[in-house]
Amino acid sequence: MCTDCGCSITGSDIEHSHEGEEHSHSHDHQKAHEHLHHNPQLNDAKTISVIQKILDKNDHEAEHNRKHFDSKGILGINLMSSPGSGKTTLLEHMADVADFKFGVVEGDLETSKDADRLKAKGIPAMQIQTGSACHLDAFMVHKGLHEMPLDDLDVCFVENVGNLVCPASYDVGTHLNIVLVSVPEGEDKIAKYPVMFRQADLILITKTDLLPYFKYDIENEKSEARRIKPNVDILEVNINDINSVQSVVDWINFKRKMRG
């Protein structure tokens, strides 16, 4: 787990690592407090005080990022999923059908492979290598935005680090969250990681062309998602069916229209 956000470190480690740092990671306030109260390693007054300071810094930076998007008329979308669910592949195929211009702030622990793939499709992409951090935070995204041609974009995706835990609790300054879950991952991910799917504005069930080869009750998974978040939108995606990719583009265009 990340050695910066408090997921797997003791209170003394947090004090040593974070006190006085200018650019730190931070959980969303409510989720962070829930995490603290259920984690005996972090449940002490000094640790809570330090993390509260970290929370405030990240939230402030996230608001700055949103204002950055708003000033340019850009819709910001955070893409989250476990590794291999198809975030980059979806973006590659969207480039063939989207009627809006988009760029990507790309997050991975190491390498620039995903950003290189996107650039090969003519998509502006900025790679952020997080090292040991299991998520992007608002400060990382802010740095990436300054490397993006925002004046030329209608939509900016933040492709988060592949992880169904930490990214759900971090406000990176986007307007919407899209969460992908693929058929090969099995039919228990939505129930096991409710915090992630509770943050979703849209859930994409990907790799549906593999349904004949896996035990996966897709209607049950949709019901589970709506139990966790009743008003969530859900789409099925098979990148071999361009119409399913188009449906994602249509959803984004609807959200763009709603924002004016």
Side-chain angles (χ1 to χ4, degrees):
M1 297 295 286
C2 173
T3 59
D4 298 310
C5 69
C7 296
S8 61
I9 54 180
T10 63
S12 59
D13 290 329
I14 292 177
E15 182 180 7
H16 175 76
S17 298
H18 290 301
E19 198 112 52
E21 279 192 2
E22 198 61 35
H23 298 298
S24 304
H25 302 289
S26 75
H27 285 286
D28 168 82
H29 285 178
Q30 181 180 353
K31 296 301 183 296
H33 287 308
E34 290 175 1
H35 178 66
L36 286 171
H37 287 303
H38 289 86
N39 188 336
Q41 288 186 310
L42 305 180
N43 195 8
D44 66 80
K46 182 179 290 187
T47 298
I48 291 173
S49 176
V50 171
I51 289 186
Q52 182 68 52
K53 294 176 184 177
I54 298 170
L55 296 176
D56 290 341
K57 288 182 179 181
N58 189 84
D59 287 350
H60 182 270
E61 191 73 359
E63 275 305 310
H64 180 72
N65 290 347
R66 253 185 298 277
K67 289 178 182 177
H68 222 45
F69 287 132
D70 291 341
S71 69
K72 301 291 186 180
I74 295 173
L75 179 66
I77 300 176
N78 189 8
L79 288 181
M80 298 182 286
S81 77
S82 58
S85 291
K87 298 187 296 296
T88 308
T89 301
L90 174 65
L91 292 170
E92 288 176 317
H93 284 74
M94 282 179 57
D96 296 328
V97 297
D99 56 353
F100 50 79
K101 297 177 182 178
F102 69 89
V104 184
V105 176
E106 178 69 48
D108 279 304
L109 269 68
E110 296 289 346
T111 81
S112 60
K113 290 184 177 181
D114 285 353
D116 291 341
R117 285 171 56 184
L118 296 172
K119 290 176 182 177
K121 290 287 294 186
I123 304 167
M126 167 62 184
Q127 182 74 51
I128 296 175
Q129 296 179 3
T130 66
S132 62
C134 53
H135 58 274
L136 292 174
D137 66 15
F139 291 97
M140 296 177 186
V141 172
H142 178 77
K143 180 179 178 181
L145 293 181
H146 280 285
E147 302 296 326
M148 296 292 293
L150 297 182
D151 290 333
D152 301 328
L153 302 181
D154 302 307
V155 176
C156 185
F157 292 97
V158 175
E159 185 178 345
N160 223 307
V161 177
N163 184 342
L164 283 177
V165 185
C166 293
S169 298
Y170 280 75
D171 184 357
V172 295
T174 53
H175 302 105
L176 297 169
N177 294 324
I178 296 179
V179 180
L180 289 71
V181 59
S182 67
V183 169
E185 292 174 68
E187 55 184 9
D188 59 354
K189 293 298 177 291
I190 294 175
K192 289 173 68 175
Y193 299 92
V195 174
M196 171 64 78
F197 293 94
R198 198 173 290 125
Q199 302 303 310
D201 297 288
L202 172 66
I203 295 175
L204 300 180
I205 301 178
T206 63
K207 305 184 182 182
T208 55
D209 51 317
L210 298 179
L211 279 169
Y213 309 103
F214 289 87
K215 181 181 179 296
Y216 194 95
D217 187 337
I218 194 166
E219 294 306 319
N220 183 69
E221 288 302 281
K222 291 179 182 179
S223 296
E224 183 64 26
R226 293 197 168 106
R227 181 188 68 80
I228 293 170
K229 187 173 184 180
N231 62 338
V232 70
D233 292 326
I234 303 173
L235 294 173
E236 299 178 22
V237 176
N238 163 16
I239 54 94
N240 296 310
D241 176 9
I242 199 63
N243 289 326
S244 71
V245 178
Q246 181 66 55
S247 68
V248 181
V249 171
D250 292 343
W251 184 91
I252 293 170
N253 272 327
F254 174 76
K255 294 299 183 179
R256 291 179 61 216
K257 183 179 179 181
M258 291 294 289
R259 291 188 60 81

